[in-house]
Amino acid sequence: MTSPNEERAINLRMLTEMFGSEEEALEKYDEMVAIMEEEKVKWLATQYQRDRREIYPDIREQLDMLWHAIDDGDWTAAKAKTTEFYTKIKKVKEDNPKG
Amino acid sequence: MASKARDLSRRGHRVMSSAMTEDSITKAHVGLGNVANVDLSNVTNESKATMFTSPTFTGTPVLPSGTTLDGAAMQYASCTTSAIQQSGSIDCKRWTKTFNPGASSSTMDVMKLARWWWGTGCLMIHSYEWYYGPDTNYRLDKFVGTTRPGYSPSFSNIFNSGGNGPYCANHNTSAENVDVKLDLSAYRRTFMILEVWGMSYMANSGDVGAGNEYHPYGFLQIN
């Protein structure tokens, strides 16, 4: 893991590339680091969404499960939560909880 | 009237169909009968060195189809020069490679990748997969996340008609890089194109880390 000094040097390099001058990078350093810290918090708070997205069944498979639930007569208030469509989606959510 | 001394045909020269004397040589006598103008007064004083070493074309030179200026056949490798692969510079590049696992499934190393938490640049991977059969697959994946400690670098699938796609492995939180790999099924060939924007190509995989850097393994740069 990079040390604080290395961290600052790399941040400055990135900001210099972004702004085109080291002078401006130094001027905006604190402001940009604060912005990126905020972005980091937002990113980590939504990690569960990205994790779930990779595990959810393919959309065509989800639609097929839904069609079978309807075709089998299970798409009722009493039975909907017993269908494969519901239980598979629910498991992904439970395995990857929010925050 | 020509004198005997100037009559060339009497000095051992081939006898022409018509009399050829110094005073009456025509274009036809020297094989230039079809040339409209043998006057060289308009030819500039070009030297051979200028003409053949550094010629300047004023028209449109035509090469045989499929050849380059050095006469070699065109190929992707002709683009793979150190001048193009400027190690460490931030730019946009495309790379290609074909994976052929043969009879056994295997895992291929695609690239070493690092993304700083500023996260500049973009990496897209196109994977084309075909088989000894009627189906072919295509998928497009985008790299998301960073390789900083606490993050989970991964690929987000944008389109997938089937087939395997790239994934991240061996997240090294010390060096702050990750390996990109691809699982290959037996007999299925995968043709991969990397599109990398705003990141730095590194000539050595060991130099990838703590930045927006990458090193593809055995890929050819195509532009």
Side-chain angles (χ1 to χ4, degrees):
Chain A
M1 188 172 174
T2 52
S3 69
N5 283 341
E6 290 171 329
E7 174 106 5
R8 181 174 173 79
I10 297 167
N11 281 341
L12 268 178
R13 176 160 58 86
M14 299 289 170
L15 285 173
T16 302
E17 287 164 1
M18 190 184 297
F19 291 117
S21 79
E22 190 174 344
E23 188 180 37
E24 193 169 357
L26 282 165
E27 187 182 318
K28 298 271 181 67
Y29 186 86
D30 291 339
E31 181 188 344
M32 291 305 294
V33 168
I35 290 172
M36 295 315 296
E37 288 290 356
E38 285 176 23
E39 291 299 314
K40 181 181 180 182
V41 171
K42 287 181 196 170
W43 176 267
L44 294 178
T46 55
Q47 183 61 47
Y48 75 94
Q49 294 175 354
R50 292 181 292 278
D51 292 341
R52 287 178 180 180
R53 188 170 55 205
E54 297 303 311
I55 306 169
Y56 280 134
D58 179 79
I59 190 71
R60 285 170 292 195
E61 191 184 337
Q62 289 189 38
L63 287 170
D64 190 55
M65 289 189 293
L66 192 56
W67 187 88
H68 280 289
I70 296 168
D71 194 49
D72 292 343
D74 293 339
W75 202 244
T76 64
K79 290 186 175 178
K81 289 190 175 182
T82 65
T83 61
E84 188 181 25
F85 172 78
Y86 179 84
T87 55
K88 279 199 172 181
I89 302 292
K90 184 174 173 56
K91 185 173 188 318
V92 173
K93 291 179 183 292
E94 287 177 346
D95 290 347
N96 299 275
K98 286 184 182 178
Chain B
M1 178 181 174
S3 69
K4 285 183 180 180
R6 296 173 67 188
D7 184 345
L8 299 179
S9 65
R10 294 185 182 182
R11 303 175 103 187
H13 289 267
R14 182 163 62 91
V15 176
M16 308 299 288
S17 58
S18 61
M20 184 179 73
T21 66
E22 248 179 46
D23 295 333
S24 62
I25 292 175
T26 66
K27 294 187 296 181
H29 287 140
V30 292
L32 296 173
N34 292 326
V35 179
N37 183 3
V38 295
D39 179 6
L40 297 179
S41 60
N42 288 328
V43 177
T44 57
N45 190 24
E46 297 264 9
S47 69
K48 283 196 296 184
T50 305
M51 292 173 70
F52 298 111
T53 303
S54 302
T56 299
F57 298 110
T58 55
T60 307
V62 178
L63 291 174
S65 177
T67 62
T68 60
L69 283 173
D70 66 359
M74 283 184 180
Q75 52 187 324
Y76 289 139
S78 64
C79 297
T80 311
T81 68
S82 57
I84 296 173
Q85 297 177 344
Q86 299 162 41
S87 182
S89 64
I90 294 177
D91 42 32
C92 307
K93 293 184 171 68
R94 299 173 82 228
W95 305 79
T96 185
K97 184 176 182 179
T98 299
F99 299 106
N100 182 8
S104 304
S105 60
S106 61
T107 298
M108 299 299 297
D109 291 319
V110 176
M111 66 197 298
K112 181 79 81 178
L113 180 65
R115 189 180 177 92
W116 190 246
W117 62 287
W118 294 98
T120 61
C122 183
L123 166 66
M124 309 285 275
I125 297 185
H126 301 260
S127 302
Y128 305 80
E129 183 190 81
W130 64 91
Y131 187 55
Y132 298 100
D135 66 331
T136 58
N137 290 314
Y138 166 73
R139 60 181 290 158
L140 176 62
D141 297 272
K142 179 185 70 168
F143 177 76
V144 293
T146 88
T147 49
R148 300 232 63 194
Y151 285 84
S152 299
S154 63
F155 280 90
S156 175
N157 181 251
I158 296 171
F159 178 82
N160 182 13
S161 72
N164 295 333
Y167 62 92
C168 293
N170 308 325
H171 182 196
N172 186 332
T173 55
S174 178
E176 302 192 18
N177 61 32
V178 73
D179 291 324
V180 177
K181 293 177 178 286
L182 175 71
D183 289 337
L184 300 166
S185 303
Y187 296 116
R188 286 187 178 268
R189 295 190 182 198
T190 297
F191 177 77
M192 187 174 271
I193 294 176
L194 312 179
E195 291 182 341
V196 190
W197 293 290
M199 297 176 68
S200 300
Y201 161 76
M202 306 305 284
N204 300 306
S205 61
D207 294 334
V208 175
N212 299 307
E213 300 161 350
Y214 71 99
H215 174 86
Y217 294 112
F219 278 70
L220 288 175
Q221 188 182 337
I222 51 178
N223 59 22

